[in-house]
Amino acid sequence: RYVLDVPALNFVAGQRTLLNVEWKTPVNLPDGETFKEKVDAFMAAKGGITKIKFITNSATTSADVLVESSIYLVKNEETLEIHTGASQFMANSDCSRMFYGYNTSFNQIVSIDFGDNFNTGNVTTMSFMFSTCYSLASLDVSNFNTGNVTTMSSMFDYCSGLASLDVSNFNTENVTNMNSMFSDCRSLASLDLSSFNTAN
């Protein structure tokens, strides 16, 4: 889906009108390891960050760039804001260790807000995606498109602070590896996996 910005114009019958328009296409995120390293370095340098929020259709820029001058990192009090002018973030096919917490600043993150425009339709690997995010208490992955994912191994392992997790919309028909997916999620009181397709 594309968003077309068109300025207000008066159209006159029989007259040709030329428009200069900008296509707001999705912006591609780097692979999980690269994302983790760059964002971790930013959080370590700034300090005091406990929340992450993804923001699309934003005019905000900063000196700290995640990828190709189109994704900007901004510290707003205790929140790391990840801004782009694009209409959505397109997650890399490899999201392994994207928010990996062990020995990184991600182990201090209590919430991640993906917003409505975080597209995971191309993702095939989510292994260790949130692994060892010990402090993570709030995580909404209910809008994740997992139709192409083949591995979810250790995806949430050692997310020991998560009290709830909604994975009821996960499409797991292509998943071949769920090893330790919820290992040591000791605060989860319940987990609905009734929709999981484990045929593969």
Side-chain angles (χ1 to χ4, degrees):
R1 189 178 128 226
Y2 297 98
V3 177
L4 187 63
D5 282 346
V6 180
L9 293 170
N10 292 318
F11 292 95
V12 179
Q15 207 171 307
R16 183 166 56 181
T17 302
L18 300 179
L19 300 178
N20 289 319
V21 297
E22 177 185 354
W23 291 100
K24 290 189 174 181
T25 58
V27 63
N28 294 315
L29 287 163
D31 64 82
E33 284 281 4
T34 303
F35 177 93
K36 180 197 70 175
E37 290 171 5
K38 290 189 175 184
V39 173
D40 179 45
F42 177 87
M43 292 193 294
K46 299 296 182 180
I49 293 175
T50 60
K51 300 176 183 178
I52 297 175
K53 184 175 185 178
F54 288 84
I55 301 172
T56 55
N57 299 306
S58 170
T60 298
T61 61
S62 74
D64 297 287
V65 180
L66 179 58
V67 59
E68 297 179 1
S69 302
S70 57
I71 303 177
Y72 300 93
L73 305 178
V74 178
K75 180 182 179 184
N76 183 1
E77 296 181 352
E78 76 277 9
T79 302
L80 163 61
E81 296 178 345
I82 303 177
H83 289 263
T84 183
S87 57
Q88 60 180 276
F89 290 99
M90 181 64 69
N92 193 280
S93 62
D94 182 1
C95 284
S96 57
R97 299 178 186 268
M98 189 171 185
F99 302 93
Y100 188 68
Y102 186 70
N103 279 341
T104 71
S105 299
F106 288 104
N107 62 24
Q108 300 170 17
I109 298 300
V110 298
S111 69
I112 302 173
D113 181 356
F114 290 102
D116 297 323
N117 298 307
F118 191 88
N119 190 330
T120 59
N122 292 333
V123 180
T124 58
T125 303
M126 289 184 169
S127 57
F128 294 91
M129 189 171 180
F130 304 99
S131 176
T132 61
C133 286
Y134 310 118
S135 302
L136 197 58
S138 174
L139 181 66
D140 184 357
V141 292
S142 60
N143 289 326
F144 273 24
N145 178 348
T146 60
N148 290 314
V149 177
T150 59
T151 177
M152 294 180 172
S153 61
S154 299
M155 185 174 178
F156 303 102
D157 82 326
Y158 287 93
C159 287
S160 50
L162 274 181
S164 65
L165 184 63
D166 182 2
V167 292
S168 59
N169 288 330
F170 273 25
N171 178 348
T172 61
E173 63 183 13
N174 291 312
V175 178
T176 59
N177 189 347
M178 294 179 179
N179 177 47
S180 300
M181 187 172 175
F182 306 101
S183 174
D184 206 44
C185 289
R186 62 184 70 178
S187 297
L188 285 181
S190 64
L191 189 63
D192 182 3
L193 306 179
S194 60
S195 64
F196 270 32
N197 179 345
T198 58
N200 288 314

